[in-house]
Amino acid sequence: MPLSLDRPQRVLFYLPMVTNWWFVHIIEPLLRRLAAEHEVHVLAPAPWSGTGLGPEEIARCADLPAIRWYIMDGPDHPSTRTMPEDADGLIGFVRDLAPDVVLCRTADYQTIRCFPGTVRLLMEGRLEPFAPPPRWILLAERPHDHGLPAPLPDDAAARLRAMLAPAWDHLQARLAPPPGERGALFARFGIRDDRPLLLLPLECETEDNFFAMHRPGPKPNAALVRALAAELGDRCTLAVSNHPLNDAHVDAAALIEASDACDNVVLLPSRIGILPATLAMARHADGMLVGDSKTFALAAFFGVPMQRHSRFASGAWLNAYDAPAPFLADIAAGTARRPEPEAARQWFAQYLLNDAIDPLDAGDDVLAHLVRPVDPERWDRALARLEQTLPALFPAEAQASG
C-alpha cells in the first residue's frame, strides 16, 4: 500500500548510530510528534562507542507508552553500526514488523535497502554558510549524495531562487572578503603567494562517526595529510582545517606532527577572526579537496573549484573533479571548472526551503516530506521559519516590505 497521510502509518525508527545528543535534540521530538498520530516502533542496539539507546534515552519517553521499543543487546550488537553479523535475522525481523516507513540513523545503508516500506536516512541538515540550527535534518537514500537538485518546472525553480535571493545576496555581500585580506592571511600563516592554495577540510574522526567507513583513501586524517602533501609536492600549498568535533574531542598530536613534517602544509587554527577557519579560507582558496564532508556547500557558495574523492554522487552543477591529475593541471593553468552560480542558488534554495526539516517545528511533518518530496506549498512557511531562525540573513528593509 502506498504511503499516505490519510491514515495512521506504522513507523519504525532504526537507530544503530544515534548518539545521546541526536536522541535528545532530534529523535525524541520526532517520536513525540509521530506517536500522537501513528504507530511508532524503535529498534536500536544497546549503548556502545558513544551510540545506541540505553535507560536514559528510553526514560525520556516514559510518558509515551504506545511506543514499542526493541533493544538489541546480544554480543553482536556493535556490528549493527557498520554491517550486522546477522543481517538476515535483522532484515527478517523488520520484514515481519512490516513498517510503512523506516527512518534510520546508521552508516550501513546496504542492509536497510532490504527493509520494507519507504526507507530514508536521517542526515545532518546544517550546512555552511547559512548554518541553520544543528538539529535540522535532511532525508536521504544514501549517506553522502551531495548537491542533487530536485527536478522542477522552470517557473517553480525561478520562484524558489527568487524567494531566497534577499538572503543569498545579503550573505554573499556580508561574507565578501575585505580588500587585502588574502595577502594579510598568507603572510600571517606563512603561505607562499607564488603557487596555488588548496584547502582541505578534514572530516570528523570521533568514535561515534561510523560514516568514516565509507571514506576512500588514507586514514586517519594525519595519514591523509601526509599522502596529499607528498602528491602535491611544490605545485601547491595545502591549507588544512580540522573538523570542529575533532578540535573538541580528538587528540591532535598526530595531525600536528604530520603537518609540521610537510613544508607545503599549513594547519589552520579553528577560527580566523570571527569566522570558522574553513569558511574564512574558502574565500581565498584556489581549490578545495573534499570527500564526504558537508563543506562542499562552501565551495558551491563561493564558487571554488573542487576535487571530490568519494564513493557517493555529486550534482553535475558542482563541476567537481573526480581525479587529482586534471584538477591540479587546471588549477595550475587557472582554468579549473567552478560550480555553476545559478545552479548553486537553486540548490541552496531547495535545501533550505523544500528539503530541510526542523524536528521542533510542529508544522513540519516528516512524513509529508516522504509523500511529497517537492512541495511548493511548504516554501512560504519554510521561508518564514528561516527568517525567524536566522534573522541576520535578511536585510531589515526586505523584512519590513514583506
Side-chain angles (χ1 to χ4, degrees), residues 47-326:
W48 178 75
S49 195
T51 60
L53 298 186
E56 177 184 348
E57 288 81 19
I58 296 173
R60 294 182 62 91
C61 299
D63 60 324
L64 301 173
I67 293 180
R68 302 175 193 181
W69 303 86
Y70 311 92
I71 303 301
M72 298 175 282
D73 59 359
D76 63 341
H77 80 80
S79 70
T80 59
R81 279 75 172 182
T82 52
M83 180 60 69
E85 293 181 17
D86 183 16
D88 291 340
L90 172 63
I91 292 165
F93 177 86
V94 176
R95 286 179 174 168
D96 289 343
L97 188 62
D100 300 295
V101 175
V102 187
L103 300 174
C104 308
R105 182 64 179 169
T106 176
D108 170 28
Y109 72 97
Q110 298 289 357
T111 301
I112 65 174
R113 287 179 170 180
C114 300
F115 289 175
T118 301
V119 181
R120 293 293 184 270
L121 289 163
L122 302 170
M123 300 299 295
E124 294 88 346
R126 185 182 191 273
L127 277 68
E128 297 278 4
F130 284 87
R135 67 177 181 269
W136 282 26
I137 57 172
L138 297 169
L139 302 177
E141 295 187 39
R142 303 201 311 166
H144 301 297
D145 287 347
H146 287 334
L148 302 183
L152 289 174
D154 289 345
D155 57 343
R159 177 189 164 209
L160 200 54
R161 289 193 302 271
M163 292 175 71
L164 190 66
W168 176 277
D169 294 341
H170 185 63
L171 194 57
Q172 283 279 351
R174 196 174 82 184
L175 293 179
E181 183 182 77
R182 178 183 168 103
L185 288 180
F186 278 35
R188 172 184 170 186
F189 296 117
I191 299 172
R192 291 175 50 170
D193 60 5
D194 61 345
R195 61 189 185 189
L197 175 70
L198 299 183
L199 176 60
L200 172 66
L202 296 177
E203 297 186 29
C204 179
E205 290 190 321
T206 56
E207 68 167 358
D208 54 28
N209 180 28
F210 293 93
F211 287 120
M213 65 183 279
H214 300 302
R215 285 172 50 188
K219 304 174 192 175
N221 283 334
L224 175 63
V225 168
R226 289 182 183 271
L228 287 174
E231 183 176 11
L232 295 174
D234 61 2
R235 291 178 293 176
C236 301
T237 297
L238 185 67
V240 178
S241 60
N242 206 359
H243 192 284
L245 292 178
N246 293 342
D247 281 332
H249 303 293
V250 178
D251 185 354
L255 176 61
I256 294 171
E257 181 182 356
S259 301
D260 289 346
C262 304
D263 60 9
N264 59 347
V265 172
V266 174
L267 180 59
L268 300 171
S270 59
R271 301 188 73 82
I272 298 175
I274 63 172
L275 298 176
T278 307
L279 191 158
M281 196 57 76
R283 306 183 298 180
H284 302 292
D286 298 290
M288 287 178 62
L289 302 170
V290 301
D292 293 331
S293 167
K294 299 189 298 296
T295 54
F296 82 94
L298 284 175
F301 185 81
F302 291 119
V304 181
M306 75 182 88
Q307 183 207 338
R308 186 173 184 219
H309 190 39
S310 174
R311 296 187 172 97
F312 297 97
S314 303
W317 64 274
L318 289 169
N319 285 321
Y321 291 75
D322 58 9

